[in-house]
Amino acid sequence: DGGITQSPKYLFRKEGQNVTLSCEQNLNHDAMYWYRQDPGQGLRLIYYSQIVNDFQKGDIAEGYSVSREKKESFPLTVTSAQKNPTAFYLCASSFGTGTYEQYFGPGTRLTVT
Amino acid sequence: GNSVTQMEGPVTLSEEAFLTINCTYTATGYPSLFWYVQYPGEGLQLLLKATKADDKGSNKGFEATYRKETTSFHLEKGSVQVSDSAVYFCALSGSYNQGGKLIFGQGTELSVKP
């Protein structure tokens, strides 16, 4: 089955620790995205990548970092510099940017205390 | 840049009622338009899309027509079910200087009562 996987579903960390969220896709998509969703809110774009070894900041990149070493993988690191890291994180992919629809993973709920 | 506005929720309906969720947009060029649905605790799923003016997207009884003259893409369903309770997002493809990313509305929560 083709799709996007995110792991784990729930993640708990102490304040001051960096944490990395996994996102893998087997759809052969070139573009991948990370979004943050807060309760009752819409989606905010953190980072996106249009091709391997290249990525761009989205609207709220501060306190986050990414890498794109493989086409299938786009991990997101939430650093200790992110002031309010507790949120629902969604990964998505698409054939390209522009008119292509995005396909979403199931999300990771991160809680930092 | 391109932007999208959708009606605020929550929207509460009785089962079998008619649903309309309004979505309007501003855009340069000819963006594609999308509706996504998010069930509690899950990721977003593509519900339907339209890529040019007057196109009608449809899926699972939901429909939306790309109206360029009114810059709208309203979501409709003739008879909602309890299982349709979810958050619905309208989206459009961004302009070139927005990197071509999808631009999402704020989402509209729908609650259907038996």
Side-chain angles (χ1 to χ4, degrees):
Chain A
D1 271 342
I4 302 175
T5 56
Q6 293 185 243
S7 60
K9 179 72 173 172
Y10 299 95
L11 193 52
F12 299 88
R13 282 292 184 272
K14 295 290 188 186
E15 204 172 300
Q17 295 179 332
N18 292 354
V19 58
T20 297
L21 281 59
S22 165
C23 177
E24 304 277 332
Q25 55 97 1
N26 61 2
L27 299 167
N28 199 32
H29 285 170
D30 285 317
M32 297 186 74
Y33 311 80
W34 274 106
Y35 293 92
R36 170 182 172 137
Q37 188 177 32
D38 293 288
Q41 302 295 312
L43 302 176
R44 291 188 289 172
L45 183 65
I46 304 172
Y47 268 99
Y48 67 105
S49 168
Q50 295 173 294
I51 199 165
V52 174
N53 292 323
D54 187 46
F55 48 83
Q56 288 80 38
K57 293 181 179 180
D59 302 317
I60 55 164
E62 186 175 347
Y64 300 97
S65 65
V66 294
S67 62
R68 187 86 187 277
E69 297 176 1
K70 298 188 298 182
K71 187 175 186 176
E72 303 79 19
S73 178
F74 191 42
L76 173 74
T77 297
V78 184
T79 74
S80 56
Q82 167 52 231
K83 297 196 183 330
N84 297 296
T86 295
F88 190 48
Y89 290 89
L90 287 161
C91 179
S93 71
S94 65
F95 279 110
T97 55
T99 61
Y100 297 103
E101 60 265 35
Q102 293 179 14
Y103 295 84
F104 284 79
T108 292
R109 187 167 300 280
L110 173 65
T111 303
V112 177
T113 57
Chain B
N2 295 357
S3 65
V4 61
T5 302
Q6 59 181 107
M7 65 187 284
E8 289 191 22
V11 173
T12 303
L13 295 173
S14 297
E15 205 164 23
E16 299 184 1
F18 185 86
L19 168 71
T20 300
I21 299 178
N22 291 337
C23 172
T24 57
Y25 68 90
T26 58
T28 55
Y30 302 94
S32 292
L33 298 169
F34 308 88
W35 275 102
Y36 283 84
V37 59
Q38 184 180 33
Y39 299 102
E42 298 184 7
L44 276 69
Q45 300 174 27
L46 179 65
L47 184 58
L48 52 85
K49 67 176 183 178
T51 57
K52 61 183 187 298
D54 300 325
D55 263 3
K56 176 186 280 189
S58 61
N59 185 25
K60 300 180 182 179
F62 291 90
E63 293 183 338
T65 301
Y66 189 159
R67 302 274 189 210
K68 194 161 176 65
E69 63 277 12
T70 55
T71 61
S72 65
F73 192 54
H74 305 322
L75 182 68
E76 296 181 334
K77 187 176 185 183
S79 175
V80 294
Q81 305 301 311
V82 172
S83 57
D84 293 327
S85 298
V87 179
Y88 293 82
F89 291 91
C90 184
L92 81 164
S93 50
S95 61
Y96 178 78
N97 63 2
Q98 290 174 302
K101 308 181 296 293
L102 288 191
I103 309 300
F104 287 89
Q106 284 299 104
T108 302
E109 182 180 359
L110 170 66
S111 178
V112 181
K113 307 296 185 188

